[in-house]
Amino acid sequence: MKYISTRGDARVNFSEGVLLGLTPKGGLLVPETFPHYSNTDLEEMRNMSYRELALRIIKEFAEDIPLEDLKRIIEKSYSKEIFKSDEIVTLKKVEEKVFILELFNGPTLAFKDIALQFLGNMFEYILQKENKLVNILVATSGDTGSAAIYGTRGKNNIKTFVLTPFGKMSKFQTAQMYSVIDDNVFNVAVEGNFDECQSMVKAVSEDSDFKTKYHLGYMNSINWCRILSQIVYYAKGVFDVQKESNLNINSEIDIVVPTGNFGNILAGYYAKKMGIPIRNLILATNENDVLDIFFKTGNYKTRKKDEVMVTDSPSMDIASASNFERFIFDVVEENPETVTTLWKEVKENGQFNLAKTKYFQNIKKCGIISGSAKKENRYKIIKEVYENTYYIIDPHTANGVFLAKIFKSDEPLLCLATASPIKFEETMKEILGNDLIFKRPKEYENLEEKPQKFIKIDAGDIEKLKKIIEENSIR
């Protein structure tokens, strides 16, 4: 299995791709081909444990990793000690034919753990095998950063630099990152929003000499390994719903995905492409509805800094979607020249429009439909679910459940729960009452009172960011 660039400037194997991240021209890596599962394959996979299923799917994309080594990495990444359960993900039924798949059983209580525990261990394995080192550079709107830190802290040959939008995350999210004082972790608090953090990461990455000299690597969803590991829980979720609903292996279900940077739903799109029985993927945004507008109109228009709304679902507060390029590569029939042209338009004009092109029908046929939710929708849904079931969903998941109500059909519907409500305690108490008591995991008791370590810089100060990396990198 080889990986090619969305901009036509790379062809590498899996291990090379993990270390590369962005290609020299700023492209993203995608597999040259995808496997497609037969009914026999699906029947076999349906009764596998999470770890068995992960090995079955991932091995086809990581052919340069010996099977026994890959198995050990998967077992280490998805141990019961790390995820508190052998199931890794857990299925909850909230009403007739509506299910929630909890993806937040990992150490940082968010779905990013599923990808970043695996990616952290894969980084360590490849670096040791090839006698290399890496300085991880990552931007976060709240959850990716903490999962990246907990996926790499204490690991050999790795230092991690996490850019966060200062003052724009929940108190729990902030403390979860800033209280990590390990020598190989550096929190960089940016006086700006998430998209500015992301732009700074990309700006440093585009300096090829600096990138090479300081061995930069990436744990944002620009790294293909993250998308790959997320395909697994789509398969597991579909199979679990089928079994719970007494459906046969060909019965398709709809899946609602709270969406920000498009990485999560992209994994679902690839799972569907590979033959996992998914009918529709329902893309749920909050008020920052750049992607909802695109799927309705064909117009992809990024937002300026002052146009991004700060909401109670901060991981979805985005101006542009960093993973969207992989999807568009498929839409334009894998033409790297077209992708390059479109992203040049984004850089120069902030948008591109496919509505009047031959590619618009590809968007309509891709199996993704979309919608958006507002604060009042989230609050109403959270109250409704709690009153009916005593089950609490976080604000990100609530965007998805709101859309589930709109798109519900006679087929089973699965909502992805991307974070524990514990991470948004202030918001949950505002909605459900101040007498609400959350029982935190022991390691997070009094989290906000722990000492914090971070370096504050201005948005767009690329030279200051480079200096931080120069002074603290592993070389």
Side-chain angles (χ1 to χ4, degrees):
M1 173 74 73
K2 292 290 185 180
Y3 294 85
I4 55 176
S5 166
T6 53
R7 303 193 190 183
D9 60 333
R11 187 173 185 268
V12 298
N13 66 21
F14 176 77
S15 295
E16 291 167 333
V18 169
L19 299 183
L20 179 62
L22 286 171
T23 66
K25 291 183 180 179
L28 303 179
L29 296 175
V30 293
E32 272 191 324
T33 58
F34 283 86
H36 193 274
Y37 300 124
S38 66
N39 282 354
T40 303
D41 293 325
L42 295 175
E43 288 285 5
E44 177 191 355
M45 295 161 70
R46 180 157 122 154
N47 294 312
M48 289 180 174
S49 69
Y50 194 92
R51 288 183 284 273
E52 290 170 336
L53 188 58
L55 182 63
R56 176 68 176 81
I57 291 172
I58 294 171
K59 71 179 183 180
E60 301 193 57
F61 293 91
E63 292 177 339
D64 58 309
I65 307 293
L67 191 60
E68 283 304 311
D69 291 351
L70 183 59
K71 184 179 180 181
R72 280 193 293 272
I73 293 167
I74 286 171
E75 289 177 348
K76 182 179 180 181
S77 302
Y78 303 122
S79 71
K80 184 176 181 179
E81 291 70 31
I82 293 174
F83 280 88
K84 313 296 189 294
S85 165
D86 275 329
E87 293 298 314
I88 310 304
V89 297
T90 45
L91 190 70
K92 303 282 186 182
K93 189 173 183 177
V94 291
E95 63 178 76
E96 188 62 31
K97 295 190 177 182
V98 177
F99 299 84
I100 282 179
L101 188 67
E102 294 180 339
L103 303 176
F104 51 77
N105 296 324
T108 72
L109 311 181
F111 81 102
K112 306 291 178 71
D113 287 321
I114 294 175
L116 293 180
Q117 283 294 315
F118 177 70
L119 179 53
N121 288 321
M122 184 58 73
F123 260 123
E124 186 175 48
Y125 168 82
I126 294 171
L127 293 171
Q128 288 178 349
K129 185 178 180 181
E130 300 185 7
N131 194 27
K132 292 182 178 179
L133 47 84
V134 69
N135 293 293
I136 300 293
L137 187 57
V138 62
T140 186
S141 52
D143 290 333
T144 293
S146 53
I149 288 170
Y150 283 76
T152 59
R153 62 187 303 189
K155 284 188 165 46
N156 296 321
N157 299 346
I158 299 175
K159 286 199 175 182
T160 305
F161 298 82
V162 179
L163 276 68
T164 56
F166 188 70
K168 294 181 172 62
M169 302 174 293
S170 75
K171 291 179 181 177
F172 186 100
Q173 287 175 308
T174 302
Q176 196 174 39
M177 283 182 278
Y178 292 0
S179 65
V180 175
I181 57 176
D182 296 47
D183 290 340
N184 74 325
V185 173
F186 298 89
N187 284 292
V188 182
V190 177
E191 293 278 17
N193 60 29
F194 164 68
D195 288 282
E196 288 173 305
C197 296
Q198 189 164 256
S199 295
M200 292 173 75
V201 168
K202 288 183 177 179
V204 172
S205 304
E206 288 168 1
D207 185 337
S208 57
D209 291 339
F210 187 89
K211 178 181 176 181
T212 301
K213 182 177 180 180
Y214 292 100
H215 310 283
L216 296 186
Y218 308 92
M219 293 186 84
N220 281 100
S221 52
I222 60 174
N223 194 310
W224 162 253
C225 188
R226 265 191 62 173
I227 307 300
L228 171 59
S229 56
Q230 291 175 268
I231 292 172
V232 179
Y233 60 67
Y234 278 91
K236 188 70 164 64
V238 168
F239 295 146
D240 285 354
V241 170
Q242 286 179 337
K243 288 187 285 188
E244 183 73 20
S245 306
N246 296 314
L247 299 173
N248 66 43
I249 198 64
N250 292 313
S251 297
E252 295 183 331
I253 69 167
D254 294 336
I255 303 181
V256 187
V257 189
T259 305
N261 265 317
F262 204 79
N264 194 0
I265 197 166
L266 181 67
Y269 171 75
Y270 287 144
K272 177 178 171 66
K273 185 173 180 172
M274 291 158 61
I276 301 300
I278 298 169
R279 187 178 69 156
N280 290 315
L281 289 159
I282 301 166
L283 181 151
T285 70
N286 60 16
E287 291 87 340
N288 298 291
D289 55 356
V290 169
L291 292 170
D292 180 34
I293 292 170
F294 171 80
F295 280 96
K296 285 185 167 69
T297 68
N299 186 38
Y300 178 64
K301 184 178 181 181
T302 61
R303 294 187 174 185
K304 296 176 182 176
K305 174 184 175 181
D306 57 359
E307 295 174 333
V308 178
M309 290 189 64
V310 178
T311 76
D312 49 32
S313 43
S315 294
M316 299 166 70
D317 295 347
I318 60 104
S320 61
S322 62
N323 229 293
F324 195 48
E325 186 169 326
R326 284 188 172 109
F327 173 73
I328 294 298
F329 184 70
D330 254 28
V331 166
V332 301
E333 298 162 7
E334 300 187 352
N335 188 320
E337 289 80 16
T338 302
V339 171
T340 302
T341 298
L342 291 175
W343 258 262
K344 184 179 179 183
E345 289 182 33
V346 171
K347 189 171 184 178
E348 293 176 354
N349 306 312
Q351 64 180 312
F352 63 74
N353 197 332
L354 299 181
K356 295 182 180 180
T357 71
K358 64 179 182 178
Y359 302 122
F360 191 56
Q361 285 308 308
N362 293 344
I363 300 168
K364 291 300 179 184
K365 293 186 295 185
C366 76
I368 298 177
I369 54 182
S370 69
S372 62
K374 293 181 169 53
K375 180 177 180 178
E376 57 264 31
N377 306 137
R378 289 189 291 278
Y379 278 34
K380 182 180 178 182
I381 283 292
I382 289 168
K383 284 182 179 178
E384 195 175 288
V385 171
Y386 182 67
E387 288 168 359
N388 292 337
T389 65
Y390 294 106
Y391 184 72
I392 303 175
I393 57 175
D394 87 292
H396 300 81
T397 305
N399 289 300
V401 176
F402 173 73
L403 268 296
K405 299 280 188 181
I406 294 173
F407 288 104
K408 184 180 177 183
S409 68
D410 291 333
E411 304 301 324
L413 188 148
L414 179 65
C415 303
L416 300 189
T418 55
S420 167
I422 291 172
K423 301 190 78 167
F424 306 95
E425 194 168 326
E426 304 98 322
T427 299
M428 305 316 298
K429 287 187 174 183
E430 180 184 343
I431 300 168
L432 299 175
N434 286 322
D435 56 345
L436 190 70
I437 298 175
F438 283 104
K439 183 172 175 55
R440 290 187 179 187
K442 187 175 181 180
E443 62 268 30
Y444 288 130
E445 290 176 0
N446 304 313
L447 176 67
E448 292 87 344
E449 297 170 20
K450 292 182 178 179
Q452 297 185 1
K453 182 185 78 169
F454 59 91
I455 306 165
K456 192 183 288 189
I457 67 173
D458 292 332
D461 193 342
I462 307 302
E463 292 309 311
K464 179 67 179 292
L465 176 58
K466 285 182 176 180
K467 188 172 180 59
I468 292 169
I469 295 169
E470 288 170 358
E471 291 177 348
N472 298 289
S473 64
I474 182 171
R475 280 184 277 175

